[in-house]
Amino acid sequence: MRSLAPGIKLITSFSRDSWYRFSILILTFVFYTSYHLSRKPISIVKSQLHRNCSNVIHPADLNITDNDTWCDWAPFDQNNYQNLFGVLDNCFLVAYAFGMFFSGMFGERLPLRYYLSSGMLLSGLFTALFGLGFYWRIHSLWYYCLVQALNGLVQTTGWPAVVACVGNWFGKGKRGFIMGIWNSHTSVGNILGSLIAGVYVSSAWGLSFIVPGIIIACTGVICFFFLVEKPEDVNCTPPQHHESVEQEPLLRNSSSNEEIFSSHTSTAVEPVEEHTEAISFSGALKIPGVVEFSLCLLFAKLVSYTFLYWLPLYIANIAHFDPKEAGDLSTLFDVGGIVGGILAGLISDYSGGRATTCCAMLIIAAPMLFLFNKIGQNGLPTTVCMLLWCGALVNGPYALITTAVSADLGTHECLRGNSRALSTVTAIIDGTGSIGAAVGPLLAGLISPTGWNNVFYMLITADVLACLLLSRLVYKEVRGWCGYTTRQRGFKEI
């Protein structure tokens, strides 16, 4: 009998279910990569919209009235340009935060394939419209604010939908590690968005938006033709979301049988009834742990998104790099974020302590942010090292909460098999975090004229508050590891 080719052996060694699950991971990874890819250009283009024009060689035939602002793009050519950049960021982020609270409920009631596809197509349209302002010579702040706000609304279609889709296909085993790797799409999208925008930023910054807009629109078409929402749609085996207490309960303490977010005290396995009614907003808030992690994410995301929108400009101003070099260097923060997200998921899987993992990384992040501000500009090697460390410590907890924790809570045993809660829980957690994402860049725009030191003090304060908000959950995890037992709480008791 002839032996099969090695490639065919590899293909046939995996089951049909495994191939479908792998394809869902890849597709949702690509989808959300394109979402973040289309958000990143604004942070790269900022340093091109307002430059030090006295150092720029101007065309001989150009009549210049102001030597300091002739190369800037109005209305960002005035001394209040940092405040205007903050307003621009907030138009997107406030709309995103507002829309996220409703997006999850829409995602549970509409087919995910249509919801994601339409969201990506509209995101591509509004991203491209921002770039077309360059070719149409639009200098109205209201135009750019309107486009940013509309883009923020349609971008809310992405996160609840992709997390719900992955949650439909994957159970609890190694969820932190798998989602830690999968969540690198955020950083990969930021990196690709920075690199693509950097190619065009100095020559024709409009293309820095138009090209990412085309890319996310194309992924929307792919989503429409290939996304499978649930295993049952293609006769695959659905994952097991609920286990007995003896079998590694959801979000438990690894060294004891106590569950941090326990929904019952009996060790007997109760039959799980599949519910089809979507959970209400107030019902999702009653799930133990949702409020704490949501508020923690508010401050964690404040720090992360301040870096997302202001890091390239900070590097250009402090280290005196040109816009392209500053954008390329800022991608190292996202490279560190990839490593941090994977480590956070791996550690939390091994220890069983999601809250403790987040809290530990947040504690270490505070002094690292202080050091970055003090010594981060002392040579290129120091800058690279600090960017990688800060990226890992800032984005690690953010990644863990928005993925594994959201999926854990959205499939909590207290829901008694209600598979339609995941999108709403994810939207509540990420929506609350998005409030911080909106506030952070706005505060950075208001504070930065007084000095970058004050911006970093604000970030350190937010980091400490995020840590404190998890103190109750950390206390329970530590008590569990020490062998103590506590009165377990039910679904209605928070």
Side-chain angles (χ1 to χ4, degrees), residues 30-203:
V30 171
F31 296 159
Y32 209 69
T33 294
S34 68
Y35 272 96
H36 262 264
L37 181 150
S38 65
R39 295 179 197 175
K40 186 64 177 178
I42 184 64
S43 66
I44 305 300
V45 172
K46 280 178 183 177
S47 54
Q48 181 70 19
L49 296 177
H50 187 96
R51 297 185 286 171
N52 184 1
C53 301
S54 60
N55 297 331
V56 180
I57 300 176
H58 58 79
D61 58 343
L62 185 64
N63 183 20
I64 297 176
T65 58
D66 191 334
N67 192 50
D68 292 330
T69 62
W70 69 268
C71 65
D72 296 336
W73 188 269
F76 308 105
D77 56 347
Q78 304 302 315
N79 292 331
N80 65 340
Y81 71 97
Q82 289 177 315
N83 292 336
L84 296 183
F85 286 152
V87 170
L88 207 58
D89 294 339
N90 258 303
C91 288
F92 177 94
L93 294 169
V94 170
Y96 184 87
F98 175 79
M100 184 60 72
F101 289 104
F102 301 96
S103 178
M105 291 182 283
F106 285 129
E108 287 176 358
R109 291 161 175 80
L110 298 174
L112 292 179
R113 182 167 62 91
Y114 296 148
Y115 193 54
L116 265 176
S117 299
S118 60
M120 283 188 278
L121 289 171
L122 289 172
S123 294
L125 171 64
F126 293 125
T127 302
L129 281 175
F130 195 104
L132 288 172
F134 172 79
Y135 294 98
W136 294 342
R137 301 291 177 182
I138 296 176
H139 296 281
S140 170
L141 179 64
W142 291 108
Y143 171 82
Y144 296 109
C145 287
L146 177 62
V147 171
Q148 281 284 83
L150 292 174
N151 199 12
L153 283 175
V154 298
Q155 286 252 338
T156 60
T157 58
W159 189 241
V162 294
V163 173
C165 190
V166 172
N168 288 339
W169 280 88
F170 291 89
K172 299 187 317 188
K174 302 300 179 185
R175 176 178 277 165
F177 178 64
I178 291 173
M179 288 194 137
I181 297 175
W182 175 76
N183 191 62
S184 64
H185 51 48
T186 298
S187 296
V188 171
N190 291 339
I191 292 170
L192 292 177
S194 298
L195 296 177
I196 292 172
V199 171
Y200 306 104
V201 63
S202 298
S203 56

Side-chain angles (χ1 to χ4, degrees), residues 53 134 161 255 333 349 399 455:
C53 301
F134 172 79
S255 59
F333 183 84
D349 277 342
V455 175

Side-chain angles (χ1 to χ4, degrees), residues 3-13:
S3 61
L4 290 174
I8 301 301
K9 284 184 178 179
L10 178 65
I11 293 174
T12 55
S13 65

Side-chain angles (χ1 to χ4, degrees), residues 75 199 398 419:
V199 171
Y398 163 38
S419 61

Side-chain angles (χ1 to χ4, degrees), residues 149-415:
L150 292 174
N151 199 12
L153 283 175
V154 298
Q155 286 252 338
T156 60
T157 58
W159 189 241
V162 294
V163 173
C165 190
V166 172
N168 288 339
W169 280 88
F170 291 89
K172 299 187 317 188
K174 302 300 179 185
R175 176 178 277 165
F177 178 64
I178 291 173
M179 288 194 137
I181 297 175
W182 175 76
N183 191 62
S184 64
H185 51 48
T186 298
S187 296
V188 171
N190 291 339
I191 292 170
L192 292 177
S194 298
L195 296 177
I196 292 172
V199 171
Y200 306 104
V201 63
S202 298
S203 56
W205 62 259
L207 289 174
S208 297
F209 292 90
I210 294 173
V211 173
I214 293 173
I215 292 174
I216 189 173
C218 290
T219 57
V221 175
I222 295 173
C223 175
F224 180 81
F225 282 104
F226 295 103
L227 181 66
V228 181
E229 298 177 23
K230 295 181 179 180
E232 298 87 340
D233 295 340
V234 286
N235 297 320
C236 288
T237 305
Q240 182 179 4
H241 291 301
H242 311 289
E243 299 175 286
S244 66
V245 175
E246 293 87 347
Q247 285 184 300
E248 184 186 6
L250 192 60
L251 279 174
R252 70 169 175 85
N253 294 319
S254 62
S255 59
S256 73
N257 283 333
E258 176 202 1
E259 294 185 49
I260 303 172
F261 310 115
S262 178
S263 60
H264 55 79
T265 57
S266 172
T267 57
V269 180
E270 299 179 12
V272 175
E273 180 185 354
E274 184 68 26
H275 297 285
T276 59
E277 183 181 355
I279 194 171
S280 66
F281 187 89
S282 60
L285 287 175
K286 293 178 182 178
I287 300 173
V290 167
V291 173
E292 287 96 333
F293 277 112
S294 296
L295 293 175
C296 173
L297 186 63
L298 186 151
F299 292 103
K301 206 166 181 179
L302 182 153
V303 179
S304 180
Y305 266 66
T306 301
F307 274 100
L308 174 67
Y309 280 91
W310 286 91
L311 182 59
L313 184 63
Y314 171 77
I315 294 173
N317 288 352
I318 301 299
H320 307 294
F321 286 99
D322 65 36
K324 185 182 185 305
E325 291 173 338
D328 292 344
L329 195 59
S330 70
T331 61
L332 293 174
F333 183 84
D334 294 297
V335 173
I338 294 174
V339 178
I342 294 173
L343 283 177
L346 190 62
I347 293 170
S348 69
D349 277 342
Y350 178 77
S351 66
R354 305 283 201 220
T356 305
T357 302
C358 291
C359 192
M361 297 185 80
L362 290 168
I363 290 173
I364 302 172
M368 291 302 296
L369 290 173
F370 180 82
L371 285 175
F372 176 55
N373 183 45
K374 293 299 181 183
I375 67 172
Q377 296 77 43
N378 296 347
L380 186 61
T382 305
T383 303
V384 170
C385 182
M386 295 305 298
L387 282 171
L388 291 172
W389 270 105
C390 289
L393 295 170
V394 168
N395 284 341
Y398 163 38
L400 184 63
I401 294 173
T402 55
T403 54
V405 170
S406 295
D408 286 349
L409 297 175
T411 55
H412 195 272
E413 288 185 4
C414 66
L415 296 171

Side-chain angles (χ1 to χ4, degrees), residues 474-493:
V474 172
Y475 175 73
K476 285 192 172 184
E477 289 178 352
V478 173
R479 282 180 62 86
W481 292 332
C482 294
Y484 292 97
T485 59
T486 58
R487 184 174 63 87
Q488 300 184 16
R489 293 178 177 267
F491 176 44
K492 294 184 179 179
E493 208 176 330

